[in-house]
Amino acid sequence: MNKTAVVLLNLGGPDSVNAIHPFLFNLFNDPAILKLPLLIRWPLAKLISTLRVKKAKDIYLQIGGKSPILSLTNQQGKALEIILKQKYSGVIKVFVCMRYWHPMSQEVSQAVKEFNPKQVVLLPLYPQFSTTTTGSAIKDWYKNAKKNGLNVPISTICCYPIITGLIEAHAELVTKAYKIAETMGKPRIIFSAHGLPKSVIQKGDPYEFQVNKMAKAIIQALNVKELDWIIAYQSKVGPLEWLGPPTEQEIKKAGFEKKSVVIVPVAFVSEHSETLVELDIEYAEIAKQSGVRSYQRVPAVATHPRFISALGNLVELAIKKRSGVSSFNGKVYCLSDFNNCPMFKEYLGGC
């Protein structure tokens, strides 16, 4: 029987207060995050995770002491599996694989091996490619799949920042928030993406380029004349110079100008601490203190039918490709100066 395993790749998050410290260690021990030799990275990750654990606990206690990302990703997986079973006569099963907390690639690749598929599709839940997210997750999958003896063709979707269903879902959700905000005057839309050190971008990472393309596609879909909007970045950690402007700075600026604000989590497809705490609590308080007239946070696309349908289309593309790496349209999407785009170099024996 023809079996296909679809693996949704996501960041993961602690499932209890006790899991916060090891989750942070796993994050900072990733060579894609701290680009240092293991002998230096391991003790440094121990130190950073220990120093940050109290602050992280305070964050997660505000949302029940754990991350909701696994539950929400499972919901996305179930929704995707339903539409895939309507499309294909073969057996398709969706697996969820997290990068920094369970279920991680070692256990998920073993479960996929036991499923015994003819093909594996890796589908990251990061619309924009970055070496620090999708790239790290793919490398980790290959390493542990090889350890577990999973030896079948793997077809990977590397990015889909402007795929139609994703943009339509965002546009619908933004429109609802915009209509509420504009009752207090013309709003400013702030597309808030997770930040990265500029040094990562300077080495050829296409993340910022793809964030820009996605924001512009949403603006075009909104079709509002003379729209006031900007892209900003959140969640800065450490002393390095990061992408900007900072989201909190743009909120304060909007308050000074007596604007309403619509915040769009443009790089997140499900809710977690960066949206539920940083955007909903911390930045909402900044907006209040800064005089923002109306602060509306757009929800993540989650299981929006158009987004799930778009994921289904990506799986269909990957199945047809059989193996290797492909963007959302099967072609090279990034500009040639992004040498860390997986379609410009052979990525793990991919395209």
Side-chain angles (χ1 to χ4, degrees):
M1 183 178 292
N2 187 22
K3 291 182 177 181
T4 302
V6 177
V7 182
L8 298 182
L9 302 174
N10 211 339
L11 181 80
D15 53 12
S16 68
V17 172
N18 290 335
I20 294 172
H21 195 175
F23 164 76
L24 290 174
F25 172 77
N26 290 341
L27 173 67
F28 290 109
N29 194 42
D30 182 356
I33 303 299
L34 289 180
K35 300 180 185 299
L36 297 167
L38 178 61
L39 289 176
I40 300 173
R41 188 179 69 250
W42 195 94
L44 186 58
K46 274 288 187 185
L47 176 63
I48 295 172
S49 59
T50 300
L51 293 175
R52 290 188 58 81
V53 69
K54 184 181 183 301
K55 182 178 180 181
K57 283 183 178 180
D58 291 340
I59 289 171
Y60 283 106
L61 285 172
Q62 294 180 75
I63 52 174
K66 63 180 182 178
S67 170
I69 196 168
L70 177 57
S71 173
L72 296 174
T73 306
N74 282 333
Q75 291 174 25
Q76 291 170 318
K78 289 176 182 177
L80 176 60
E81 194 170 271
I82 288 171
I83 66 167
L84 291 176
K85 286 180 177 179
Q86 293 171 349
K87 283 187 173 185
Y88 296 101
S89 57
V91 177
I92 290 188
K93 186 174 182 179
V94 176
F95 296 80
V96 168
C97 182
M98 299 301 191
R99 181 64 183 92
Y100 302 117
W101 200 243
H102 305 287
M104 294 188 283
S105 59
Q106 185 171 0
E107 56 202 284
V108 178
S109 60
Q110 179 61 40
V112 170
K113 181 183 177 183
E114 292 170 5
F115 177 61
N116 194 27
K118 298 294 185 183
Q119 181 185 16
V120 173
V121 172
L122 298 184
L123 180 56
L125 290 179
Y126 308 103
Q128 308 91 2
F129 178 87
S130 172
T131 54
T132 62
T133 52
T134 299
S136 173
I138 295 170
K139 286 183 178 181
D140 190 63
W141 174 268
Y142 269 80
K143 179 184 73 176
N144 284 298
K146 184 178 181 179
K147 282 183 181 180
N148 284 329
L150 178 60
N151 186 25
V152 295
I154 299 175
S155 184
T156 303
I157 297 295
C158 64
C159 65
Y160 45 95
I162 61 169
I163 194 169
T164 301
L166 173 63
I167 299 304
E168 289 176 344
H170 268 293
E172 181 182 314
L173 295 170
V174 171
T175 297
K176 291 178 182 177
Y178 191 88
K179 288 180 177 179
I180 296 171
E182 70 178 347
T183 62
M184 300 294 290
K186 185 178 180 179
R188 175 169 296 153
I189 297 177
I190 301 177
F191 291 98
S192 187
H194 198 292
L196 280 179
K198 283 188 174 180
S199 58
V200 174
I201 303 301
Q202 290 164 355
K203 291 176 182 176
D205 193 297
Y207 175 73
E208 182 185 22
F209 166 75
Q210 294 190 7
V211 167
N212 291 342
K213 288 291 188 180
M214 183 170 168
K216 289 175 182 177
I218 295 170
I219 291 299
Q220 185 175 3
L222 290 172
N223 195 29
V224 176
K225 290 183 179 179
E226 299 180 357
L227 203 59
D228 183 356
W229 65 281
I230 191 169
I231 299 169
Y233 293 88
Q234 64 181 89
S235 310
K236 182 181 184 296
V237 177
L240 296 177
E241 185 180 6
W242 278 41
L243 292 172
T247 301
E248 61 267 37
Q249 174 183 302
E250 289 305 313
I251 292 171
K252 292 176 182 178
K253 181 180 177 182
F256 179 78
E257 296 173 1
K258 303 303 178 185
K259 293 274 189 179
S260 294
V261 166
V262 175
I263 291 276
V264 185
V266 71
F268 308 112
V269 300
S270 53
E271 308 291 355
H272 45 93
S273 62
E274 282 86 349
T275 58
L276 299 174
V277 178
E278 198 168 2
L279 294 184
D280 288 356
I281 299 175
E282 295 173 0
Y283 289 1
E285 182 61 26
I286 291 173
K288 181 180 178 181
Q289 296 296 328
S290 302
V292 170
R293 301 184 71 182
S294 175
Y295 180 84
Q296 302 295 324
R297 203 272 284 181
V298 177
V301 291
T303 55
H304 192 293
R306 290 178 180 174
F307 174 56
I308 299 300
S309 177
L311 293 182
N313 292 338
L314 291 171
V315 172
E316 184 176 8
L317 173 67
I319 289 174
K320 289 178 179 177
K321 187 174 175 62
R322 289 294 298 163
S323 65
V325 181
S326 178
S327 72
F328 64 98
N329 61 7
K331 302 175 183 177
V332 172
Y333 178 65
C334 297
L335 301 175
S336 59
D337 50 344
F338 294 111
N339 58 8
N340 268 325
C341 171
M343 290 196 74
F344 270 104
K345 64 179 184 179
E346 185 168 297
Y347 195 77
L348 301 168
C351 58

